[in-house]
Amino acid sequence: MPIPQLSSSKSPRDWSKRQINQRSSFIPHKKRPNAPKTFNYKYRRPGSCRSNFKISPQLIKRLIPVGLILFLIATIFLLGAFAWYSRDLPDPNHLLDRSVAQSTKIYDRTGEHVLYEVHGDQKRTLLELDQIPDYVKWATIAAEDKDFYHHKGFSLWAIFRTAITNVLKGQTAGGSTLTQQFVKNAILSKEKTYSRKIKELILSYQIEKKFSKDEILKMYLNEIPYGSTAYGVESAAQTFLHKSTTELTLAEAATLAAMPQSPTYYFNNQDVLLGRRNHILNLMAKEDYITKDEAKQAQDEIMEIKTPRENIDAPHFVMYIKELLTKRYGERTIENGGFKVYTTLDFDKQKMAEEIIQQEMEKRGEQYNASNAAMVSLNPKTGEILTMVGSKDFFNEEIDGQVNVTLRPRQPGSSLKPFVYTLAFDNGYQPESILFDLETNFGSSGDGGNYIPHNYDTESHGPVSLRQALAGSLNIPAVKLLYLVGPEDVLDLLKDFGYSTLKSAEHYGLSLVLGGGEVKLLEHTAAYGVLSQEGLKYDTQAILKIVDDKDEILFEFKPEEAKSKRVLNKKTAQIINNVLSDNQARAYVFGLNSSLQLGDRPVAAKTGTTNDYRDAWTIGYTPSLVTGVWVGNNDNSEMKRGASGSVMAGPIWHNFMQQALEKQPIEKFSDMPDLPEIDKPMLNGQIGNEQIVKIDKISGKLATDFTPVSMIEEKTYFDVHSILYYVDKNDPLGPAPDKPEKDSQFEKWEETIRHWAEENNYNQEQPPTEYDDVHIPGSQPEIQIISPQANNTFNETIQCQATANAKQGTISRVEYYVDNQFIGASKSQPYYMLNTNAFNLSSGQHILKAVAYDQFDNSASQEVNFNYTNNSYNINQPTVFWFNPQANQTLNSTDFPINISASVSFNRPIYQIKFYYQTGDQTNLIGTLTNPESLSHLYLTWPEAPSTGNYQLYLEVVDNRQNTYVSPKINITLK
């Protein structure tokens, strides 16, 4: 893209009326058109100086031939000298065609920010004349050659005047025209010899004949040295003022015009430089290029010529771009070719990233002995690099700041785990599949010891789902999962995702999943971007377009046409995205408000921390932005304990993502896909085969229909094993292995699970296969009702009596029921019970049942009908007598728990009694007694004291027909 052509500044005057040269489009001088510069000499008046010396005509006649001969000799000499000195001069006709070294400019994605100029010894950018503001041209002409538009390349008078001045006054002032300066600085060498001066005059004259003044001015402004490596006004503006020529103020234009005379001196003596600037502004006003007011205003402008250090933004990214360009085009072409390179860099996001890294490292860097940080951010939908911060400070040699950590292999810690889980989900495992997080010896570590990894919190968490294990970054389940899916297959997946630094599986073993390998932050971040795009991989892009010095496009990447390659099943990617974005799942480790969440915006993220805290990572993404952050020390020295990924890298990642996405619409990940049902323990989220069995308490065998309910208990049997017992790691969804013990890890995993099951009271016994042989047909006791006899009639008192014999052991009790309502029991011979007013029956026929139980709760029953006559069937309210507490008693809260005791008198069978306390409209239940054996002494514990205040106690009585009666209330006080 060509440099934008900005409109030139204009003088208040109408310069179009004062054009000097028909070949010139630039109006430089105040004189009338075509009016040559004239000089007025004053002669002495005649006769003021008399002489008697006279030359005779004869002498003149003799001298003429001699003069002609001398003239011819001089002419021949001059022509010879002209030919001699011209023989090695460049052809003026080809000056515009010659190759002039130009800097390669590297831009951000908008083309508005020049990040850097790649150049050789000469840093140069060529501009068209109409791209240079008029006041830059005026300042140059006023400072160097005010008669530029009037001479023919050199001025004999100026040369003569300069020679006299240099001899008489000992000065070294120059008499060169602007054309001569161009020849001297851009075409010939700078040697101070007469021969070079002659060549300079000759070539200047030839150039003036060949080119217009505007063309000469353009060549001058594009190629004259301004100091340091800056050649041409554009490079000078960028080098010393850090801006483009089009952005120069009048004062800055005059300052740059002053520098070519003696760049080093003026740079080191900027007060003198400002004095020369002000002199040039006065000259511009004198020549009527600007007004005196404009000159005064520019002279008052405060400005500073900046150190000609490399003017560079996003330095690590720029060096990365330069490396890419050099590989493609070669070093010399990039330094001299004048390319314009438009990169993918988002300038605003880059500055944002640099500032956040500085701020966050100031907060925690010294505290945790961390000196450096790096960040990469990409658009995962196209692969474009939006930010690249290779270190905290590119220019800080103490931290090796020029090392681009985004391109250096570092151990990723747990931030590599998601790809192991991704492969597991692709193989059929599900987020709810179970692994045991128990300390496990995985065998030889390759260095003579045993590999026994531990979790970050040094705790073991028992059975956990894969969702919990990944969200909580648990190490032991991750190592087990790597074994199940295979390190070789994981490395193949990582290669497909774009990793280039990992070695063979034998090099890492099972430590691979905990960051045993080394990865580049750029590749690591791009791999997370593949997950964000549901398995589509876009090649990383850093350059949008390359344009050569002839504005021909050499390369162009169009984001809207970016091509992708599928490297992961879409459904699998949706599963891992769901797990990594589950803030609830990671809350038990990081909390709900950790740096890994962005409020209402769904985001998937993972941290990583290496052993001894040498590397801290956080990488996370939305569907449109993926960012990776690393914190540590370039010399690989340890940070302090606690410098984890969530503590060090997490806040940097969080702040950048929050600011970068602040004005962007919220994007959501795809919903969790439907998963098939799996009827296999561990894979389906069950710890093992669980079986609930009814057992006879006495025999310990399976209960039967003859087993009394009171003798039945339910037992849960767990077939608890490691996942290797149920799953063939080479075919997870296939049948269970016939001989799981052949797996080299089986016994190691099983041993830890057996200990865990014992400690947690998991019954790993096999359920019984035999049936209850205590409660069998024929083992029931015998019972016979003695009283009442069939169809006996009673009116108040019922006399109950039975005989019973046990076939096993002894009789434990005989219970009596009237119309299936329990009325009492007898535990000894002759199993007699006299019931007078425990209940009131209506007149008519009723059924009495007697049930005999032996010591094993085998039972037998007999029923008999009887008649009952009730001539005065009245229902009264229950009568309550309170033993403790008593009416109007004061209790202390320290007395609790207290035992409530009371007696109840009621003329109906009582099924249930409820105790209440009440204050105002609020009523609270203290407790309930069901089928109380004795109404004369009721006991209940009141466990906790209510708040202090006045309360009322009362009972609620429920009879055998579910009628409810409320007793009178008593008052108590609690303090």
Side-chain angles (χ1 to χ4, degrees):
M1 185 176 79
I3 298 175
Q5 297 187 6
L6 305 181
S7 58
S8 301
S9 301
K10 295 184 178 180
S11 170
R13 290 151 181 77
D14 183 3
W15 293 101
S16 62
K17 296 180 181 179
R18 307 190 339 258
Q19 187 166 350
I20 301 297
N21 194 317
Q22 292 181 353
R23 295 187 296 168
S24 171
S25 61
F26 171 55
I27 314 302
H29 201 272
K30 64 181 180 178
K31 301 298 181 180
R32 295 191 309 274
N34 300 321
K37 179 70 177 179
T38 59
F39 299 92
N40 295 320
Y41 298 91
K42 294 182 179 180
Y43 296 93
R44 295 182 183 273
R45 61 184 180 274
S48 61
C49 183
R50 300 173 183 264
S51 176
N52 294 322
F53 178 75
K54 293 182 179 180
I55 300 177
S56 66
Q58 293 80 5
L59 181 61
I60 294 175
K61 290 179 180 181
R62 293 176 182 177
L63 290 178
I64 287 176
V66 175
L68 290 174
I69 294 172
L70 292 175
F71 176 77
L72 289 173
I73 294 173
T75 301
I76 294 171
F77 175 80
L78 289 174
L79 291 174
F82 184 88
W84 174 262
Y85 284 111
S86 298
R87 75 188 190 283
D88 297 326
L89 293 180
D91 185 354
N93 293 311
H94 299 293
L95 279 182
L96 294 180
D97 299 331
R98 78 197 195 285
S99 176
V100 178
Q102 298 184 58
S103 305
T104 289
K105 284 188 174 60
I106 299 177
Y107 295 89
D108 73 335
R109 66 185 303 110
T110 66
E112 296 177 0
H113 301 279
V114 178
L115 304 178
Y116 183 64
E117 288 188 54
V118 184
H119 56 85
D121 294 336
Q122 298 181 8
K123 178 180 176 183
R124 179 186 285 107
T125 300
L126 302 183
L127 299 179
E128 295 298 326
L129 198 62
D130 58 5
Q131 294 176 301
I132 303 173
D134 284 347
Y135 48 77
V136 174
K137 308 167 195 174
W138 299 333
T140 300
I141 291 173
E144 300 295 342
D145 186 3
K146 66 183 179 66
D147 294 324
F148 171 66
Y149 278 89
H150 300 278
H151 58 64
K152 298 300 181 180
F154 58 87
S155 170
L156 293 176
W157 169 248
I159 294 173
F160 174 75
R161 181 188 60 204
T162 302
I164 296 300
T165 303
N166 291 346
V167 172
L168 297 180
K169 297 186 178 181
Q171 297 178 353
T172 57
S176 299
T177 63
L178 189 145
T179 308
Q180 289 176 270
Q181 293 182 49
F182 166 68
V183 170
K184 176 177 64 177
N185 290 286
I187 302 176
L188 300 178
S189 66
K190 295 183 179 181
E191 59 179 343
K192 295 183 178 181
T193 63
Y194 290 111
S195 62
R196 185 203 63 77
K197 192 67 176 178
I198 294 172
K199 292 178 181 179
E200 175 186 309
L201 293 172
I202 295 171
L203 194 54
S204 297
Y205 176 76
Q206 291 177 334
I207 289 174
E208 287 277 349
K209 290 185 65 178
K210 174 62 181 176
F211 298 106
S212 70
K213 290 290 187 178
D214 281 358
E215 289 173 326
I216 297 171
L217 180 62
K218 169 188 169 182
M219 289 188 286
Y220 177 91
L221 290 173
N222 275 319
E223 301 188 38
I224 199 75
Y226 283 80
S228 185
T229 60
Y231 283 71
V233 68
E234 174 65 11
S235 291
Q238 295 284 358
T239 300
F240 298 108
L241 298 171
H242 297 181
K243 60 173 61 175
S244 173
T245 304
T246 58
E247 301 172 318
L248 293 176
T249 65
L250 175 59
E252 290 168 339
T255 303
L256 290 184
M259 294 190 68
Q261 189 179 81
S262 184
T264 302
Y265 174 75
Y266 283 134
F267 180 79
N268 293 327
N269 298 273
Q270 292 196 20
D271 54 338
V272 180
L273 174 62
L274 294 181
R276 175 160 168 76
R277 175 200 72 176
N278 294 341
H279 172 66
I280 292 173
L281 289 168
N282 289 332
L283 290 177
M284 292 175 70
K286 180 179 179 182
E287 294 297 319
D288 212 15
Y289 297 134
I290 59 175
T291 66
K292 291 183 179 180
D293 289 340
E294 288 173 328
K296 180 63 171 63
Q297 184 177 357
Q299 289 171 345
D300 292 338
E301 182 177 322
I302 298 175
M303 57 172 293
E304 176 187 4
I305 296 296
K306 297 185 169 89
T307 303
R309 189 180 77 176
E310 293 287 351
N311 183 22
I312 185 170
D313 284 312
H316 292 98
F317 178 73
V318 163
M319 295 300 116
Y320 173 64
I321 294 294
K322 183 181 177 184
E323 182 179 353
L324 296 178
L325 294 171
T326 301
K327 287 180 180 178
R328 181 178 297 186
Y329 300 106
E331 189 84 31
R332 183 174 182 84
T333 300
I334 296 305
E335 288 183 352
N336 303 320
F339 288 3
K340 299 181 183 70
V341 182
Y342 301 90
T343 69
T344 60
L345 190 87
D346 187 311
F347 190 78
D348 293 336
K349 286 185 175 63
Q350 176 72 18
K351 290 302 179 184
M352 183 190 305
E354 293 171 356
E355 291 174 4
I356 290 173
I357 284 178
Q358 288 291 336
Q359 294 168 1
E360 295 301 322
M361 290 301 291
E362 286 179 6
K363 292 180 183 178
R364 284 173 291 275
E366 184 176 352
Q367 176 185 354
Y368 286 97
N369 189 37
S371 63
N372 208 1
M375 178 195 293
V376 164
S377 186
L378 301 96
N379 179 352
K381 296 181 178 180
T382 60
E384 296 169 90
I385 300 174
L386 302 178
T387 68
M388 178 184 280
V389 183
S391 71
K392 184 180 70 172
D393 184 355
F394 179 84
F395 300 102
N396 188 338
E397 296 182 0
E398 293 182 2
I399 64 170
D400 293 330
Q402 294 193 12
V403 173
N404 189 347
V405 183
T406 70
L407 304 176
R408 289 297 180 94
R410 303 287 305 205
Q411 288 194 341
S414 294
S415 64
L416 198 69
K417 287 177 183 175
F419 301 99
V420 176
Y421 284 80
T422 295
L423 183 56
F425 295 146
D426 203 50
N427 289 347
Y429 295 86
Q430 297 184 357
E432 307 316 314
S433 297
I434 297 293
L435 287 175
F436 276 91
D437 178 34
L438 301 171
E439 182 178 305
T440 304
N441 182 352
F442 289 91
S444 175
S445 61
D447 58 2
N450 290 321
Y451 185 48
I452 307 176
H454 297 88
N455 291 325
Y456 174 76
D457 60 2
T458 70
E459 300 290 334
S460 296
H461 302 84
V464 294
S465 68
L466 297 190
R467 180 184 294 273
Q468 293 171 318
L470 178 56
S473 198
L474 302 179
N475 290 338
I476 300 170
V479 175
K480 288 184 174 180
L481 195 62
L482 176 61
Y483 177 76
L484 291 172
V485 300
E488 299 87 353
D489 290 344
V490 170
L491 286 170
D492 288 342
L493 177 72
L494 293 173
K495 184 178 180 180
D496 290 341
F497 270 64
Y499 291 90
S500 64
T501 55
L502 295 171
K503 302 177 182 178
S504 64
E506 293 79 8
H507 190 82
Y508 308 112
L510 295 179
S511 68
L512 173 66
V513 69
L514 304 185
E518 293 183 333
V519 302
K520 298 177 182 179
L521 177 58
L522 177 59
E523 294 178 349
H524 203 25
T525 306
Y528 273 77
V530 175
L531 298 180
S532 78
Q533 299 309 297
E534 299 185 344
L536 293 178
K537 180 181 182 297
Y538 293 86
D539 291 337
T540 301
Q541 297 291 339
I543 299 174
L544 292 177
K545 186 166 62 174
I546 301 174
V547 180
D548 67 10
D549 60 341
K550 299 178 179 61
D551 285 338
E552 294 182 1
I553 297 176
L554 304 180
F555 166 83
E556 186 170 17
F557 168 75
K558 297 180 179 180
E560 64 275 10
E561 299 177 3
K563 296 180 180 180
S564 64
K565 176 184 177 183
R566 180 162 293 282
V567 297
L568 180 66
N569 181 278
K570 182 176 182 179
K571 185 176 180 179
T572 301
Q574 291 172 346
I575 296 173
I576 192 69
N577 288 343
N578 182 272
V579 173
L580 289 177
S581 62
D582 190 343
N583 194 48
Q584 292 288 340
R586 58 177 171 248
Y588 77 101
V589 173
F590 298 101
L592 286 173
N593 296 315
S594 72
S595 59
L596 303 184
Q597 57 82 35
L598 297 177
D600 296 334
R601 185 184 297 274
V603 61
K606 185 70 186 73
T607 62
T609 309
T610 56
N611 291 339
D612 302 321
Y613 301 95
R614 299 180 190 275
D615 302 89
W617 303 73
T618 295
I619 305 181
Y621 54 89
T622 67
S624 61
L625 186 65
V626 56
T627 300
V629 177
W630 169 89
V631 176
N633 296 304
N634 278 20
D635 61 2
N636 206 35
S637 60
E638 298 177 15
M639 295 181 285
K640 291 183 179 178
R641 183 171 182 81
S644 65
S646 60
V647 171
M648 300 302 295
I652 296 174
W653 177 88
H654 172 87
N655 291 350
F656 174 80
M657 291 290 283
Q658 191 171 53
Q659 293 182 35
L661 294 168
E662 185 176 11
K663 297 180 181 179
Q664 301 301 315
I666 291 178
E667 296 177 276
K668 296 183 178 180
F669 296 107
S670 297
D671 293 335
M672 180 75 172
D674 294 331
L675 301 178
E677 292 186 5
I678 302 177
D679 187 19
K680 182 180 285 192
M682 307 293 280
L683 281 185
N684 62 5
Q686 295 178 349
I687 295 178
N689 283 324
E690 181 178 309
Q691 188 176 2
I692 300 175
V693 179
K694 292 183 177 181
I695 303 295
D696 171 49
K697 293 179 181 179
I698 296 175
S699 66
K701 299 178 181 180
L702 297 174
T704 68
D705 292 340
F706 298 99
T707 306
V709 174
S710 60
M711 290 290 105
I712 295 176
E713 66 175 350
E714 288 187 346
K715 277 191 174 182
T716 301
Y717 291 87
F718 288 93
D719 194 14
V720 183
H721 295 281
S722 73
I723 197 170
L724 293 173
Y725 182 85
Y726 305 102
V727 172
D728 180 351
K729 62 186 177 68
N730 297 316
D731 184 15
L733 299 180
D738 293 333
K739 296 181 179 180
E741 64 275 6
K742 288 188 175 182
D743 191 294
S744 61
Q745 289 290 329
F746 178 79
E747 186 53 40
K748 299 182 181 69
W749 296 15
E750 286 283 300
E751 181 182 2
T752 61
I753 293 173
R754 282 195 295 268
H755 292 317
W756 174 85
E758 292 173 2
E759 293 174 356
N760 289 273
N761 298 318
Y762 276 86
N763 186 357
Q764 295 198 88
E765 300 175 358
Q766 293 297 317
T769 57
E770 298 180 350
Y771 290 93
D772 176 14
D773 55 5
V774 174
H775 308 97
I776 59 176
S779 65
Q780 290 85 0
E782 298 176 343
I783 185 170
Q784 182 177 2
I785 295 175
I786 303 300
S787 175
Q789 295 294 317
N791 298 317
N792 282 357
T793 300
F794 300 91
N795 54 16
E796 288 185 5
T797 302
I798 301 176
Q799 297 177 359
C800 300
Q801 185 178 1
T803 61
N805 296 306
K807 294 181 180 180
Q808 296 187 71
T810 60
I811 296 296
S812 64
R813 67 193 184 280
V814 174
E815 295 179 351
Y816 292 97
Y817 298 82
V818 173
D819 298 336
N820 288 325
Q821 295 291 324
F822 177 75
I823 62 172
S826 177
K827 296 181 179 181
S828 59
Q829 294 278 7
Y831 308 114
Y832 176 79
M833 190 187 76
L834 179 66
N835 190 288
T836 56
N837 59 354
F839 58 90
N840 289 306
L841 298 176
S842 59
S843 296
Q845 192 175 66
H846 300 274
I847 299 174
L848 174 72
K849 180 171 73 172
V851 183
Y853 294 90
D854 66 14
Q855 66 187 77
F856 304 114
D857 258 14
N858 288 313
S859 63
S861 64
Q862 187 181 19
E863 296 180 352
V864 64
N865 295 327
F866 69 94
N867 296 310
Y868 188 78
T869 301
N870 187 351
N871 296 325
S872 57
Y873 183 73
N874 296 316
I875 300 177
N876 299 321
Q877 290 293 328
T879 301
V880 180
F881 181 79
W882 296 90
F883 298 109
N884 184 50
Q886 297 180 359
N888 301 315
Q889 184 177 346
T890 299
L891 302 174
N892 292 318
S893 58
T894 56
D895 296 335
F896 284 78
I898 64 172
N899 293 322
I900 299 176
S901 60
S903 66
V904 174
S905 177
F906 195 34
N907 62 348
R908 285 193 57 77
I910 296 178
Y911 164 68
Q912 202 172 61
I913 299 175
K914 297 181 179 180
F915 291 75
Y916 290 93
Y917 68 91
Q918 181 179 14
T919 176
D921 296 333
Q922 185 176 358
T923 301
N924 296 279
L925 177 67
I926 300 174
T928 302
L929 297 176
T930 302
N931 291 325
E933 293 186 2
S934 174
L935 298 179
S936 60
H937 288 88
L938 301 171
Y939 296 97
L940 189 73
T941 299
W942 191 351
E944 295 182 358
S947 58
T948 58
N950 297 319
Y951 295 92
Q952 291 180 314
L953 288 182
Y954 66 92
L955 302 180
E956 191 175 87
V957 178
V958 182
D959 67 13
N960 62 342
R961 296 182 180 177
Q962 299 300 309
N963 297 310
T964 301
Y965 309 92
V966 178
S967 73
K969 301 175 181 179
I970 65 170
N971 296 317
I972 64 169
T973 301
L974 184 65
K975 66 177 182 179

